[in-house]
Amino acid sequence: EAGVAQSPRYKIIEKRQSVAFWCNPISGHATLYWYQQILGQGPKLLIQFQNNGVVDDSQLPKDRFSAERLKGVDSTLKIQPAKLEDSAVYLCASSPGLAPSGDTQYFGPGTRLTVL
Amino acid sequence: DQQVKQNSPSLSVQEGRISILNCDYTNSMFDYFLWYKKYPAEGPTFLISISSIKDKNEDGRFTVFLNKSAKHLSLHIVPSQPGDSAVYFCAASTSYNTDKLIFGTGTRLQVFP
């Protein structure tokens, strides 16, 4: 079974530029998460989708971050404009079913973003 | 406000010995706890969990202990193997929202021969 795919793996941009990350979850997984992991910290949930609907975006900085999951499969996370403090690894995870739990989250390898 | 804390950023253990990774939490509403393991350039993978109705959960070489009164949990790896070298994150959630994870900062474990 293929795991969670993310691209690109690395991205370097200058502040105020825009960037987008893509995630393809495990086939059939209804729930999709985006996490931000700043160096030296643990992952922090940004947004959670169930199929193509947003379940929780309470920690998403909505003035600059946006995410969508059209058709309930792939998802994109966008930052516009980027700030220096957005430098982090962005992790995508997916979970089967409509009653997900922490032990059924499968993480992708992440996208490492560096903002200069 | 760091609700889940891993105060040891790194730990070095000899192969065959016990590794003990510690985690403290502050929110008394947390009642479900997990450990994740992360290799470089990979995402975290689930390792073991424990709910607050238990004080111990064992899976092969891995055992998690929970001390609710102290708001402390620990992961024991016995015996430690070089392949266990990774970053270990503890995470906490509530039983009504077990997928809403609050992660600690991680402990880098190195197992040397």
Side-chain angles (χ1 to χ4, degrees):
Chain A
E1 180 182 71
V4 176
Q6 291 188 246
S7 67
R9 294 296 309 275
Y10 305 91
K11 189 74 177 178
I12 300 174
I13 62 172
E14 295 193 348
K15 60 183 179 184
R16 290 187 289 273
Q17 285 188 321
S18 302
V19 65
F21 313 125
W22 174 80
C23 172
N24 183 234
I26 293 173
S27 177
H29 279 198
T31 306
L32 185 146
Y33 310 82
W34 282 103
Y35 288 85
Q36 179 192 58
Q37 186 183 3
I38 293 172
L39 186 66
Q41 299 181 20
K44 183 184 85 170
L45 179 68
L46 291 176
I47 188 168
Q48 176 186 352
F49 292 93
Q50 202 155 79
N51 295 315
N52 60 349
V54 175
V55 174
D56 183 358
D57 64 357
S58 57
Q59 298 198 83
L60 186 75
K62 298 180 188 64
D63 58 334
R64 298 184 298 106
F65 285 65
S66 64
E68 59 183 12
R69 192 184 183 199
L70 299 176
K71 301 180 183 176
V73 183
D74 294 6
S75 177
T76 54
L77 176 69
K78 297 179 182 177
I79 309 175
Q80 180 179 9
K83 293 185 175 182
L84 296 176
E85 59 261 35
D86 299 332
S87 294
V89 175
Y90 290 84
L91 293 162
C92 179
S94 69
S95 191
L98 299 177
S101 65
D103 57 354
T104 60
Q105 287 192 36
Y106 298 86
F107 284 83
T111 296
R112 181 178 296 277
L113 173 67
T114 301
V115 182
L116 303 175
Chain B
D1 177 29
Q2 191 71 29
Q3 298 186 70
V4 180
K5 300 176 185 178
Q6 294 176 255
N7 292 319
S8 297
S10 64
L11 175 67
S12 190
V13 172
Q14 189 172 31
E15 182 179 6
R17 307 292 286 266
I18 184 171
S19 295
I20 300 176
L21 296 92
N22 294 304
C23 179
D24 297 292
Y25 61 97
T26 57
N27 190 336
S28 57
M29 297 297 291
F30 291 146
D31 56 5
Y32 184 61
F33 305 90
L34 308 92
W35 285 93
Y36 280 79
K37 177 179 179 179
K38 185 183 183 305
Y39 292 118
E42 295 184 13
T45 55
F46 169 72
L47 190 57
I48 192 169
S49 64
I50 189 167
S51 81
S52 60
I53 60 172
K54 302 172 104 174
D55 54 17
K56 175 183 172 181
N57 188 27
E58 192 171 351
D59 184 1
R61 297 185 298 113
F62 301 90
T63 303
V64 56
F65 294 91
L66 175 63
N67 183 333
K68 292 183 288 291
S69 60
K71 294 191 179 67
H72 177 83
L73 61 153
S74 60
L75 175 68
H76 293 209
I77 307 174
V78 183
S80 301
Q81 299 174 355
D84 296 329
S85 297
V87 176
Y88 290 79
F89 291 98
C90 70
S93 68
T94 60
S95 54
Y96 54 87
N97 243 339
T98 61
D99 68 327
K100 295 294 189 290
L101 303 175
I102 306 297
F103 283 88
T105 52
T107 296
R108 182 177 302 277
L109 173 66
Q110 183 179 10
V111 181
F112 60 93

mmCIF file of all heavy atoms in Angstrom, chain A residues 9 33 35 37 40-43 45 48 55-56 91 100-103 105 107-109, chain B residues 32 34 36 38 41-46 49 89 98-106:
data_model
loop_
_atom_site.group_PDB
_atom_site.id
_atom_site.type_symbol
_atom_site.label_atom_id
_atom_site.label_comp_id
_atom_site.label_asym_id
_atom_site.label_seq_id
_atom_site.Cartn_x
_atom_site.Cartn_y
_atom_site.Cartn_z
ATOM 1 N N ARG A 9 9.627 18.161 -1.861
ATOM 2 C CA ARG A 9 10.240 17.770 -0.591
ATOM 3 C C ARG A 9 10.953 18.945 0.058
ATOM 4 O O ARG A 9 11.041 19.029 1.279
ATOM 5 C CB ARG A 9 11.222 16.628 -0.814
ATOM 6 C CG ARG A 9 10.578 15.326 -1.269
ATOM 7 C CD ARG A 9 9.623 14.751 -0.196
ATOM 8 N NE ARG A 9 10.271 14.659 1.094
ATOM 9 C CZ ARG A 9 11.035 13.632 1.483
ATOM 10 N NH1 ARG A 9 11.229 12.615 0.665
ATOM 11 N NH2 ARG A 9 11.603 13.645 2.671
ATOM 12 N N TYR A 33 -4.896 15.698 7.372
ATOM 13 C CA TYR A 33 -4.389 16.723 8.289
ATOM 14 C C TYR A 33 -3.171 17.405 7.661
ATOM 15 O O TYR A 33 -2.354 16.756 7.000
ATOM 16 C CB TYR A 33 -3.922 16.093 9.604
ATOM 17 C CG TYR A 33 -4.874 15.150 10.283
ATOM 18 C CD1 TYR A 33 -4.972 13.821 9.878
ATOM 19 C CD2 TYR A 33 -5.658 15.562 11.354
ATOM 20 C CE1 TYR A 33 -5.826 12.929 10.511
ATOM 21 C CE2 TYR A 33 -6.512 14.685 11.995
ATOM 22 C CZ TYR A 33 -6.592 13.377 11.573
ATOM 23 O OH TYR A 33 -7.435 12.503 12.215
ATOM 24 N N TYR A 35 0.067 19.575 9.239
ATOM 25 C CA TYR A 35 0.779 19.996 10.442
ATOM 26 C C TYR A 35 1.954 20.895 10.045
ATOM 27 O O TYR A 35 2.541 20.743 8.971
ATOM 28 C CB TYR A 35 1.364 18.789 11.185
ATOM 29 C CG TYR A 35 0.382 17.898 11.894
ATOM 30 C CD1 TYR A 35 -0.270 16.870 11.216
ATOM 31 C CD2 TYR A 35 0.120 18.058 13.249
ATOM 32 C CE1 TYR A 35 -1.161 16.027 11.873
ATOM 33 C CE2 TYR A 35 -0.763 17.217 13.920
ATOM 34 C CZ TYR A 35 -1.398 16.208 13.219
ATOM 35 O OH TYR A 35 -2.272 15.374 13.876
ATOM 36 N N GLN A 37 5.711 21.825 11.547
ATOM 37 C CA GLN A 37 6.711 21.476 12.546
ATOM 38 C C GLN A 37 7.894 22.428 12.420
ATOM 39 O O GLN A 37 8.713 22.307 11.501
ATOM 40 C CB GLN A 37 7.188 20.038 12.403
ATOM 41 C CG GLN A 37 8.133 19.638 13.534
ATOM 42 C CD GLN A 37 8.689 18.247 13.416
ATOM 43 O OE1 GLN A 37 8.429 17.537 12.456
ATOM 44 N NE2 GLN A 37 9.461 17.849 14.406
ATOM 45 N N GLY A 40 12.918 22.154 16.282
ATOM 46 C CA GLY A 40 12.994 22.088 17.738
ATOM 47 C C GLY A 40 11.655 21.956 18.430
ATOM 48 O O GLY A 40 11.594 21.910 19.671
ATOM 49 N N GLN A 41 10.590 21.893 17.634
ATOM 50 C CA GLN A 41 9.253 21.753 18.214
ATOM 51 C C GLN A 41 8.572 20.507 17.656
ATOM 52 O O GLN A 41 9.025 19.913 16.674
ATOM 53 C CB GLN A 41 8.409 22.990 17.908
ATOM 54 C CG GLN A 41 8.978 24.279 18.479
ATOM 55 C CD GLN A 41 8.086 25.474 18.179
ATOM 56 O OE1 GLN A 41 6.899 25.321 17.876
ATOM 57 N NE2 GLN A 41 8.656 26.673 18.266
ATOM 58 N N GLY A 42 7.471 20.131 18.300
ATOM 59 C CA GLY A 42 6.689 19.034 17.762
ATOM 60 C C GLY A 42 5.716 19.529 16.703
ATOM 61 O O GLY A 42 5.480 20.732 16.565
ATOM 62 N N PRO A 43 5.150 18.617 15.931
ATOM 63 C CA PRO A 43 4.164 19.027 14.926
ATOM 64 C C PRO A 43 2.956 19.711 15.574
ATOM 65 O O PRO A 43 2.508 19.322 16.654
ATOM 66 C CB PRO A 43 3.755 17.690 14.286
ATOM 67 C CG PRO A 43 4.897 16.763 14.547
ATOM 68 C CD PRO A 43 5.430 17.170 15.880
ATOM 69 N N LEU A 45 -0.999 20.979 14.615
ATOM 70 C CA LEU A 45 -2.069 20.858 13.632
ATOM 71 C C LEU A 45 -2.462 22.230 13.092
ATOM 72 O O LEU A 45 -2.710 23.165 13.848
ATOM 73 C CB LEU A 45 -3.291 20.195 14.257
ATOM 74 C CG LEU A 45 -4.504 20.026 13.332
ATOM 75 C CD1 LEU A 45 -4.202 19.001 12.235
ATOM 76 C CD2 LEU A 45 -5.730 19.611 14.125
ATOM 77 N N GLN A 48 -7.674 20.315 9.502
ATOM 78 C CA GLN A 48 -8.123 18.937 9.340
ATOM 79 C C GLN A 48 -9.323 18.926 8.413
ATOM 80 O O GLN A 48 -10.268 19.724 8.581
ATOM 81 C CB GLN A 48 -8.511 18.337 10.697
ATOM 82 C CG GLN A 48 -9.074 16.935 10.614
ATOM 83 C CD GLN A 48 -9.579 16.419 11.943
ATOM 84 O OE1 GLN A 48 -9.384 17.054 12.979
ATOM 85 N NE2 GLN A 48 -10.227 15.263 11.944
ATOM 86 N N VAL A 55 -12.890 20.289 9.075
ATOM 87 C CA VAL A 55 -13.348 19.911 10.412
ATOM 88 C C VAL A 55 -12.805 20.869 11.461
ATOM 89 O O VAL A 55 -13.505 21.258 12.397
ATOM 90 C CB VAL A 55 -12.925 18.467 10.742
ATOM 91 C CG1 VAL A 55 -13.258 18.118 12.182
ATOM 92 C CG2 VAL A 55 -13.572 17.482 9.779
ATOM 93 N N ASP A 56 -11.544 21.235 11.295
ATOM 94 C CA ASP A 56 -10.880 22.087 12.283
ATOM 95 C C ASP A 56 -9.812 22.906 11.592
ATOM 96 O O ASP A 56 -8.885 22.346 11.011
ATOM 97 C CB ASP A 56 -10.265 21.224 13.386
ATOM 98 C CG ASP A 56 -9.606 22.032 14.506
ATOM 99 O OD1 ASP A 56 -9.581 23.277 14.415
ATOM 100 O OD2 ASP A 56 -9.116 21.427 15.466
ATOM 101 N N LEU A 91 3.908 18.849 7.330
ATOM 102 C CA LEU A 91 3.593 17.421 7.281
ATOM 103 C C LEU A 91 2.123 17.235 6.939
ATOM 104 O O LEU A 91 1.259 17.917 7.479
ATOM 105 C CB LEU A 91 3.861 16.772 8.637
ATOM 106 C CG LEU A 91 5.311 16.702 9.098
ATOM 107 C CD1 LEU A 91 5.381 16.455 10.596
ATOM 108 C CD2 LEU A 91 6.057 15.613 8.347
ATOM 109 N N PRO A 100 -11.542 9.100 13.194
ATOM 110 C CA PRO A 100 -10.097 8.879 13.279
ATOM 111 C C PRO A 100 -9.578 8.965 14.708
ATOM 112 O O PRO A 100 -10.192 9.572 15.573
ATOM 113 C CB PRO A 100 -9.533 10.032 12.429
ATOM 114 C CG PRO A 100 -10.558 11.098 12.534
ATOM 115 C CD PRO A 100 -11.875 10.403 12.628
ATOM 116 N N SER A 101 -8.450 8.347 14.928
ATOM 117 C CA SER A 101 -7.785 8.448 16.217
ATOM 118 C C SER A 101 -6.306 8.672 15.979
ATOM 119 O O SER A 101 -5.812 8.515 14.860
ATOM 120 C CB SER A 101 -8.011 7.181 17.047
ATOM 121 O OG SER A 101 -7.400 6.073 16.425
ATOM 122 N N GLY A 102 -5.614 9.033 17.038
ATOM 123 C CA GLY A 102 -4.201 9.361 16.892
ATOM 124 C C GLY A 102 -3.368 8.206 16.391
ATOM 125 O O GLY A 102 -2.387 8.406 15.679
ATOM 126 N N ASP A 103 -3.754 6.971 16.733
ATOM 127 C CA ASP A 103 -2.939 5.837 16.341
ATOM 128 C C ASP A 103 -3.205 5.376 14.913
ATOM 129 O O ASP A 103 -2.583 4.428 14.444
ATOM 130 C CB ASP A 103 -3.106 4.676 17.320
ATOM 131 C CG ASP A 103 -4.555 4.228 17.459
ATOM 132 O OD1 ASP A 103 -5.443 4.898 16.886
ATOM 133 O OD2 ASP A 103 -4.802 3.230 18.145
ATOM 134 N N GLN A 105 -3.163 7.735 12.348
ATOM 135 C CA GLN A 105 -2.673 8.789 11.467
ATOM 136 C C GLN A 105 -1.370 8.329 10.816
ATOM 137 O O GLN A 105 -0.442 7.910 11.498
ATOM 138 C CB GLN A 105 -2.435 10.089 12.247
ATOM 139 C CG GLN A 105 -3.714 10.792 12.652
ATOM 140 C CD GLN A 105 -3.478 12.196 13.159
ATOM 141 O OE1 GLN A 105 -2.606 12.905 12.681
ATOM 142 N NE2 GLN A 105 -4.276 12.591 14.145
ATOM 143 N N PHE A 107 1.680 9.576 8.411
ATOM 144 C CA PHE A 107 2.298 10.820 7.986
ATOM 145 C C PHE A 107 3.090 10.644 6.703
ATOM 146 O O PHE A 107 3.713 9.605 6.468
ATOM 147 C CB PHE A 107 3.248 11.333 9.079
ATOM 148 C CG PHE A 107 2.557 11.948 10.253
ATOM 149 C CD1 PHE A 107 2.057 11.158 11.270
ATOM 150 C CD2 PHE A 107 2.400 13.325 10.345
ATOM 151 C CE1 PHE A 107 1.417 11.723 12.363
ATOM 152 C CE2 PHE A 107 1.765 13.903 11.435
ATOM 153 C CZ PHE A 107 1.277 13.089 12.447
ATOM 154 N N GLY A 108 3.088 11.705 5.899
ATOM 155 C CA GLY A 108 3.980 11.770 4.763
ATOM 156 C C GLY A 108 5.359 12.246 5.202
ATOM 157 O O GLY A 108 5.559 12.576 6.375
ATOM 158 N N PRO A 109 6.319 12.313 4.260
ATOM 159 C CA PRO A 109 7.690 12.684 4.610
ATOM 160 C C PRO A 109 7.866 14.177 4.879
ATOM 161 O O PRO A 109 8.874 14.582 5.446
ATOM 162 C CB PRO A 109 8.498 12.268 3.387
ATOM 163 C CG PRO A 109 7.518 12.334 2.270
ATOM 164 C CD PRO A 109 6.183 11.953 2.853
ATOM 165 N N TYR B 32 -5.420 10.410 26.801
ATOM 166 C CA TYR B 32 -4.972 9.441 25.805
ATOM 167 C C TYR B 32 -3.622 9.913 25.315
ATOM 168 O O TYR B 32 -3.467 11.082 24.935
ATOM 169 C CB TYR B 32 -5.987 9.368 24.663
ATOM 170 C CG TYR B 32 -5.681 8.339 23.607
ATOM 171 C CD1 TYR B 32 -5.613 6.987 23.922
ATOM 172 C CD2 TYR B 32 -5.471 8.713 22.294
ATOM 173 C CE1 TYR B 32 -5.332 6.043 22.951
ATOM 174 C CE2 TYR B 32 -5.187 7.781 21.309
ATOM 175 C CZ TYR B 32 -5.122 6.443 21.650
ATOM 176 O OH TYR B 32 -4.838 5.505 20.690
ATOM 177 N N LEU B 34 0.217 9.020 23.260
ATOM 178 C CA LEU B 34 0.837 8.236 22.196
ATOM 179 C C LEU B 34 2.317 8.567 22.111
ATOM 180 O O LEU B 34 2.745 9.655 22.482
ATOM 181 C CB LEU B 34 0.192 8.568 20.844
ATOM 182 C CG LEU B 34 -1.320 8.495 20.721
ATOM 183 C CD1 LEU B 34 -1.956 9.848 21.007
ATOM 184 C CD2 LEU B 34 -1.721 8.025 19.325
ATOM 185 N N TYR B 36 5.330 8.547 19.071
ATOM 186 C CA TYR B 36 5.650 8.441 17.663
ATOM 187 C C TYR B 36 7.168 8.412 17.521
ATOM 188 O O TYR B 36 7.900 9.012 18.302
ATOM 189 C CB TYR B 36 5.110 9.644 16.881
ATOM 190 C CG TYR B 36 3.648 9.586 16.551
ATOM 191 C CD1 TYR B 36 2.683 9.903 17.510
ATOM 192 C CD2 TYR B 36 3.219 9.204 15.278
ATOM 193 C CE1 TYR B 36 1.345 9.844 17.191
ATOM 194 C CE2 TYR B 36 1.873 9.152 14.964
ATOM 195 C CZ TYR B 36 0.952 9.479 15.922
ATOM 196 O OH TYR B 36 -0.381 9.421 15.618
ATOM 197 N N LYS B 38 10.343 9.030 14.710
ATOM 198 C CA LYS B 38 10.602 9.714 13.448
ATOM 199 C C LYS B 38 12.049 9.540 13.032
ATOM 200 O O LYS B 38 12.962 9.948 13.766
ATOM 201 C CB LYS B 38 10.257 11.205 13.578
ATOM 202 C CG LYS B 38 10.398 11.962 12.264
ATOM 203 C CD LYS B 38 10.133 13.431 12.456
ATOM 204 C CE LYS B 38 10.213 14.173 11.111
ATOM 205 N NZ LYS B 38 11.472 13.969 10.405
ATOM 206 N N ALA B 41 14.119 12.652 7.439
ATOM 207 C CA ALA B 41 13.499 12.754 6.110
ATOM 208 C C ALA B 41 12.261 11.877 5.959
ATOM 209 O O ALA B 41 11.819 11.612 4.840
ATOM 210 C CB ALA B 41 14.506 12.427 5.009
ATOM 211 N N GLU B 42 11.709 11.411 7.082
ATOM 212 C CA GLU B 42 10.462 10.674 7.036
ATOM 213 C C GLU B 42 9.465 11.320 7.988
ATOM 214 O O GLU B 42 9.832 12.073 8.889
ATOM 215 C CB GLU B 42 10.677 9.210 7.455
ATOM 216 C CG GLU B 42 11.557 8.417 6.503
ATOM 217 C CD GLU B 42 11.664 6.959 6.919
ATOM 218 O OE1 GLU B 42 10.878 6.516 7.776
ATOM 219 O OE2 GLU B 42 12.551 6.275 6.373
ATOM 220 N N GLY B 43 8.194 10.997 7.798
ATOM 221 C CA GLY B 43 7.201 11.467 8.739
ATOM 222 C C GLY B 43 7.172 10.615 9.986
ATOM 223 O O GLY B 43 7.680 9.491 9.997
ATOM 224 N N PRO B 44 6.574 11.126 11.064
ATOM 225 C CA PRO B 44 6.443 10.321 12.286
ATOM 226 C C PRO B 44 5.591 9.081 12.028
ATOM 227 O O PRO B 44 4.670 9.110 11.210
ATOM 228 C CB PRO B 44 5.727 11.274 13.256
ATOM 229 C CG PRO B 44 5.918 12.643 12.694
ATOM 230 C CD PRO B 44 5.997 12.474 11.223
ATOM 231 N N THR B 45 5.922 8.005 12.717
ATOM 232 C CA THR B 45 5.107 6.793 12.660
ATOM 233 C C THR B 45 4.663 6.426 14.061
ATOM 234 O O THR B 45 5.438 6.530 15.024
ATOM 235 C CB THR B 45 5.856 5.608 12.029
ATOM 236 O OG1 THR B 45 7.080 5.398 12.750
ATOM 237 C CG2 THR B 45 6.186 5.864 10.578
ATOM 238 N N PHE B 46 3.424 5.993 14.174
ATOM 239 C CA PHE B 46 2.863 5.628 15.465
ATOM 240 C C PHE B 46 3.601 4.432 16.051
ATOM 241 O O PHE B 46 3.896 3.461 15.347
ATOM 242 C CB PHE B 46 1.378 5.299 15.308
ATOM 243 C CG PHE B 46 0.768 4.655 16.514
ATOM 244 C CD1 PHE B 46 0.535 5.396 17.661
ATOM 245 C CD2 PHE B 46 0.451 3.312 16.504
ATOM 246 C CE1 PHE B 46 -0.012 4.795 18.774
ATOM 247 C CE2 PHE B 46 -0.100 2.703 17.613
ATOM 248 C CZ PHE B 46 -0.330 3.453 18.756
ATOM 249 N N SER B 49 0.479 3.446 22.315
ATOM 250 C CA SER B 49 -0.399 4.395 22.990
ATOM 251 C C SER B 49 -0.851 3.833 24.331
ATOM 252 O O SER B 49 -0.666 2.644 24.632
ATOM 253 C CB SER B 49 -1.623 4.697 22.118
ATOM 254 O OG SER B 49 -2.398 3.527 21.936
ATOM 255 N N PHE B 89 8.602 11.370 19.692
ATOM 256 C CA PHE B 89 7.666 12.393 20.145
ATOM 257 C C PHE B 89 6.596 11.755 21.003
ATOM 258 O O PHE B 89 6.031 10.723 20.619
ATOM 259 C CB PHE B 89 6.968 13.062 18.950
ATOM 260 C CG PHE B 89 7.870 13.913 18.114
ATOM 261 C CD1 PHE B 89 8.426 13.418 16.944
ATOM 262 C CD2 PHE B 89 8.146 15.224 18.483
ATOM 263 C CE1 PHE B 89 9.256 14.215 16.155
ATOM 264 C CE2 PHE B 89 8.970 16.020 17.700
ATOM 265 C CZ PHE B 89 9.531 15.512 16.540
ATOM 266 N N THR B 98 -9.580 11.830 20.057
ATOM 267 C CA THR B 98 -8.271 11.175 20.138
ATOM 268 C C THR B 98 -7.347 11.519 18.978
ATOM 269 O O THR B 98 -6.167 11.214 19.034
ATOM 270 C CB THR B 98 -8.427 9.647 20.215
ATOM 271 O OG1 THR B 98 -9.086 9.183 19.039
ATOM 272 C CG2 THR B 98 -9.203 9.241 21.450
ATOM 273 N N ASP B 99 -7.884 12.138 17.926
ATOM 274 C CA ASP B 99 -6.984 12.481 16.820
ATOM 275 C C ASP B 99 -6.472 13.916 16.907
ATOM 276 O O ASP B 99 -5.686 14.332 16.067
ATOM 277 C CB ASP B 99 -7.665 12.229 15.477
ATOM 278 C CG ASP B 99 -8.817 13.175 15.212
ATOM 279 O OD1 ASP B 99 -9.491 13.568 16.185
ATOM 280 O OD2 ASP B 99 -9.045 13.525 14.044
ATOM 281 N N LYS B 100 -6.908 14.665 17.905
ATOM 282 C CA LYS B 100 -6.423 16.046 18.086
ATOM 283 C C LYS B 100 -5.193 15.975 18.980
ATOM 284 O O LYS B 100 -5.277 16.014 20.197
ATOM 285 C CB LYS B 100 -7.487 16.928 18.722
ATOM 286 C CG LYS B 100 -8.699 17.135 17.858
ATOM 287 C CD LYS B 100 -8.365 17.932 16.600
ATOM 288 C CE LYS B 100 -9.610 18.346 15.836
ATOM 289 N NZ LYS B 100 -10.272 17.191 15.217
ATOM 290 N N LEU B 101 -4.034 15.854 18.347
ATOM 291 C CA LEU B 101 -2.809 15.555 19.063
ATOM 292 C C LEU B 101 -2.051 16.823 19.410
ATOM 293 O O LEU B 101 -1.856 17.692 18.560
ATOM 294 C CB LEU B 101 -1.915 14.646 18.205
ATOM 295 C CG LEU B 101 -2.547 13.322 17.760
ATOM 296 C CD1 LEU B 101 -1.612 12.584 16.826
ATOM 297 C CD2 LEU B 101 -2.891 12.459 18.966
ATOM 298 N N ILE B 102 -1.589 16.894 20.647
ATOM 299 C CA ILE B 102 -0.654 17.929 21.085
ATOM 300 C C ILE B 102 0.685 17.221 21.295
ATOM 301 O O ILE B 102 0.802 16.340 22.154
ATOM 302 C CB ILE B 102 -1.100 18.604 22.386
ATOM 303 C CG1 ILE B 102 -2.526 19.147 22.251
ATOM 304 C CG2 ILE B 102 -0.119 19.716 22.774
ATOM 305 C CD1 ILE B 102 -2.683 20.225 21.197
ATOM 306 N N PHE B 103 1.664 17.613 20.491
ATOM 307 C CA PHE B 103 2.950 16.934 20.508
ATOM 308 C C PHE B 103 3.938 17.615 21.452
ATOM 309 O O PHE B 103 3.913 18.833 21.631
ATOM 310 C CB PHE B 103 3.570 16.938 19.104
ATOM 311 C CG PHE B 103 2.976 15.927 18.157
ATOM 312 C CD1 PHE B 103 1.871 16.241 17.390
ATOM 313 C CD2 PHE B 103 3.539 14.666 18.028
ATOM 314 C CE1 PHE B 103 1.324 15.320 16.502
ATOM 315 C CE2 PHE B 103 3.010 13.733 17.145
ATOM 316 C CZ PHE B 103 1.902 14.064 16.383
ATOM 317 N N GLY B 104 4.823 16.811 22.013
ATOM 318 C CA GLY B 104 5.988 17.339 22.709
ATOM 319 C C GLY B 104 7.058 17.739 21.712
ATOM 320 O O GLY B 104 6.880 17.606 20.488
ATOM 321 N N THR B 105 8.179 18.205 22.219
ATOM 322 C CA THR B 105 9.247 18.734 21.361
ATOM 323 C C THR B 105 10.180 17.653 20.838
ATOM 324 O O THR B 105 11.006 17.928 19.988
ATOM 325 C CB THR B 105 10.078 19.772 22.120
ATOM 326 O OG1 THR B 105 10.504 19.198 23.355
ATOM 327 C CG2 THR B 105 9.258 21.029 22.397
ATOM 328 N N GLY B 106 10.057 16.447 21.350
ATOM 329 C CA GLY B 106 10.856 15.343 20.837
ATOM 330 C C GLY B 106 12.138 15.104 21.617
ATOM 331 O O GLY B 106 12.719 16.019 22.198
#
